[in-house]
Structures are given as structure tokens and as C-alpha cells.
Amino acid sequence: MAEKPTLQPHVLIFPLPLQGPVNCMLKVAELFCLAGFHVTFLNTDHVHRRLLRHSHLHSRFAPFPTFRFKTVSDGLPEDHPRSGDRLMDIFDALEAVTKPLFRGMLISGVFSSEAGVPVTCIIADGAFDFALDAAKEVGIPLIYFDTISPCCVWVHLCIPKLIESGELPFKGNDLDTPITSVPGMEGFLRRRDLPIYCRAGDVSIPVVQIILAEDRQLPKAHGLILNTFEEIEGPILSHIRSLCPNLYSIGPLQERLKIRLAEETTSPPASSNGLWEEDGGCMTWLDAQPLRSVIYVSFGSLAVTRTADLKEFWHGLVNSGKRFLWVIRDNGVAGEDGDRQIPAEFSDGRKEGGYIARWAPQEEVLAHPAVGGFLTHSGWNSTLESIVAGVPMLCWPYFFDQQVNSRFVSEVWKIGLDMKDLCDRVVIEKMVNDLMDVRRDELVCSAENMAMLAKRSVSEGGSSLCNLNRLIEDIRSMSV
Ligand code: UDX
């Protein structure tokens, strides 16, 4: 009797429609395709249009006939800025519009029928508490992928404990008061290192309710994927496992994908997952700069910086005398009178030894030998990319997981400096010089050691590769 051909698994991947989450979920999608899976990637219409406009997505996934995109509305008008200062609009629209649409698509079976293969497993962003309820309704296992930093995932899971112990809401306004209710972070976590919404003085605000809803759902899913590696967050991962025992720490994903693609005889063209047009001039400009002479400056895809703060950074960078490659997104400026233009005096930065771009090929920039430091907002993807590149960081966190991340970079991993809650041209000049000169040797030594650990974890025998293989086999076992 011929054996029934085993159907390859079909995974439905559903990221939060933001640059960071989409970026790392596309990488795990490609790794699943290389493992022979069917993959349906559910983007929002808006994100999909921008990806098609600014990246070579179709050529990248052309080698995989079992890969397909599907789209769903994010519930916002096309001209909505979808920037960090309007984040709650995004979450409100996802709840009101995308949630019922997603449930309807699952119940209709459209993902399975269009692929011709039943959906084996759903991988949803940890921010989608509704996804688990919908998955249970149709009897499909769901694995959450929380794309923020694991150290912040653990802080989020401890929010109920912080409230119960009275550490939240804050009593008084001393932000340097130590926090004692987050196991594993005693001794270095302060109030100012908690997510910025903890400063609101009210735990009934919507964003805290979203976090508490996530806290309830994460432990109920089949498993939890995190883009990190044991060597940098072992103790924190053990704490998370106490609530989410089936944990897959499989990062840094960008490094695993690079290694895996190099094993292919014909690798598809490298392609960014950018939602903006990359300024190719950055790399040409970097080629003309001396070794490790440039500080790369980028505050991610959501941060919106006040014009007054931008001017402090401008004068701090120029006065430091260091060369700088500075990304200022077209929706990244908050002017006093609603003006979102880059201040005129910035020009293009050339005569001050800098280069200003609207969007850069960040992973290539960080890997460029001319780059010696990264002034970052501490978004998790940027932090991991800097770790992999062995580039020390100067952290100026904006919101969400970034406050925790910057504290870990400076106090736990010692691969950078934390400029949290400061924005003054004199401080910026000093800290840029500390990063690029005064403390450079110690920071580069730590950063290069961590880069080695990161690469080892996703190579043969590494912890992250073992976890990724276990994830792939677990999903395969769901499809038999
Ligand atoms: C958001 C949150 O802000 C962040 O804290 C969370 O960890 C993930 O979701 P974002 O602000 O976009 O992410 O920051 P980050 O996680 O660093 O992701 C930015 C991505 O955009 C990175 O992968 C980076 O390589 C890319 N990028 C950024 C570019 O490709 N070019 C640029 O010019 C700037």
C-alpha cells in the first residue's frame, strides 16, 4: 500500500502591520519556505502596497511557488501617518476592523482553499490577543511571535505583579526609584526603564489594558516565538518559560536567514523589507569615509522627534566633529505648528561632514567598515542588527520596549551607553565622543564578543538553530 504522501505544513503568518514586526516575520516566512512549507503571509493592504513599491518582494519569493500574500484592511484611511504618536489609532482600528475581518477569513476557510492545503498552524503577532480566540474557534493551533524584545515581554508579563505590589502607578515622581517586582531585573531596573506608558500615572489607560490582554493570551497559545538568543537573555527566558513553557528563541533571524541562503545554490536577490524608498547614496557616501569614523543615526520607523530635539541632535553631532549618517523619515518630525519638515538649517549635512537620508539600507549600513557607532532609539530589530554587526550603541529610546532595551544595552550587556530622557546638545556631543573615542575600545570589545555569540547561536549546534529546527518539526507534526 503506497504511503499517503505527507502534505507539507501550511503556516499562516500574521504580523502587526509595522516595519519592525513585518521585517522579522518575513524572515521567518522565508525560512519556512526553505523548509518546504506552504506559507500564507497576511499583510494589511497599506503595508502590502508600500512593500511592493519599495522592495523586491515578488522576486524574493518567486522561487517558492507555495508562498502567497493575502491582505486585510487595517481600518485606517490611506493618508493616516501610522506613526508612533498615533499608535493608538492603529490599535483601535485593528480591534474594530481587522479583528472581525480576520475571524471571518478564518471561518470561511479562504486561507486553506486558496492554497489548496489546510492551514496547519497560525503564527500571529503577540499583540493580537484576538487571534488566539479565532484560532481556537476553528481548531487550528496558534503560536504567538512577540516581535518586541524578550526583556520587555517579561516586563509586560510582570505588569499585573507591578500593579499588585503598588509599584504601578508610580507614587511620587522620582523616576530613579528602583523596581523590585520584575524577577531577574532587581538591582538595575528603575522606574524610568519601564515602558513609557508606565509614567502615565493611571493603569486603566487603553495601552495598559492591551498589555494585560496579551498577558492573558500568551500562556494559552501552543507556544511563543522570540527573536533572540539564549546567550544574551538566558535568565529572562527562564522566567518567561515559567508562564510560557513552549518557548522558541530562534534569533537573530536576519543572521540565520543569511547563513541558510548561503547554503542554497541559487540565492534569490537580497531584498529589503522596507516600507520606504532606500537612499542608495548612503553606501556610496560611506565608501568614501575612513574606517569606523561614522556614527549612524536612526530612530526606527515609528518615532516622531520634536523639531527642538532634532536641533539639539544636529548641534551635538556637528559639535562632536564626528562624521554622521542620519536617517530622518518623512513622517518622523513633529514641528511646533504641525510642520513636519526637516529644519532648513540641516541642509543635507554634507558641509558638516554628514549625510542625511530619508531611509537607509540599515543592515548594510551597520555592516559597513566606515560605521563605528549607532545612535539608536533601541527598537528591538535595530538593537539585534547592531549586536550582529558588533557596533556599539548610544541609546535614546522613544517608547514601548525601547526604555527597557536601552537599560539592558548599557547596564547588562555593556555594549553601549544610555542617553534616556536627555536631549541636550552638550550631553549629545559628550556621549557621541564617549561612544566613538573615549570608551570605544571597551564597548567595541563587548560588542564584538556578543556578535560572535549571536552568530554562533544560529550556526550548526547553536541554541537558536536547535530551537528553530524544533519549531519546524513541531509544526510538521501538526500536519500529519
Ligand atoms: C517597532 C518598535 O518601535 C520597536 O521598539 C519594537 O521593538 C519593534 O516594533 P521600529 O520602531 O520600527 O519597531 O524599530 P525597529 O524594531 O528597530 O525596526 C526598524 C527596522 O527598520 C529595522 O529592521 C531596521 O533595519 C529598518 N530600518 C530602519 C531600515 O531598514 N532603514 C532605516 O533607515 C531605518
Side-chain angles (χ1 to χ4, degrees), residues 19 23 298 301 327 359-360 362 377 379-382 385 401-402:
Q19 178 68 77
N23 208 350
S298 168
S301 72
V327 173
W359 195 250
Q362 178 160 304
H377 69 312
W380 186 237
N381 294 280
S382 293
E385 288 156 11
D401 58 336
Q402 298 155 26

Side-chain angles (χ1 to χ4, degrees), residues 445-478:
C445 181
S446 302
E448 288 179 349
N449 181 54
M450 190 156 285
M452 182 272 294
L453 294 173
K455 292 181 172 72
R456 194 165 66 185
S457 73
V458 289
S459 303
E460 213 46 52
S463 60
S464 288
L465 180 55
C466 293
N467 292 329
L468 176 63
N469 291 337
R470 179 169 62 87
L471 171 64
I472 287 170
E473 288 319 307
D474 286 355
I475 293 173
R476 266 198 226 289
S477 68
M478 294 174 192

Side-chain angles (χ1 to χ4, degrees), residues 217-230:
Q217 298 292 72
L218 287 186
K220 295 179 196 165
H222 180 86
L224 175 62
I225 298 168
L226 295 172
N227 187 15
T228 190
F229 53 111
E230 295 283 341

Side-chain angles (χ1 to χ4, degrees), residues 299 304-315 326 328 332-346 396 398 423 425 428:
F299 300 135
V304 177
T305 312
R306 292 180 318 122
T307 309
D309 290 338
L310 282 180
K311 288 179 180 172
E312 292 306 306
F313 278 107
W314 168 262
H315 291 291
W326 187 357
I328 305 180
V333 180
E336 278 70 27
D337 46 4
D339 168 23
R340 295 176 83 98
Q341 295 306 316
I342 297 180
E345 67 257 40
F346 285 20
W396 190 65
Y398 175 72
C423 189
R425 61 190 69 182
I428 291 164

Side-chain angles (χ1 to χ4, degrees), residues 364-387:
E364 288 173 63
V365 166
L366 287 168
H368 196 287
V371 173
F374 183 12
L375 169 48
T376 173
H377 69 312
S378 294
W380 186 237
N381 294 280
S382 293
T383 301
L384 268 187
E385 288 156 11
S386 202
I387 286 173

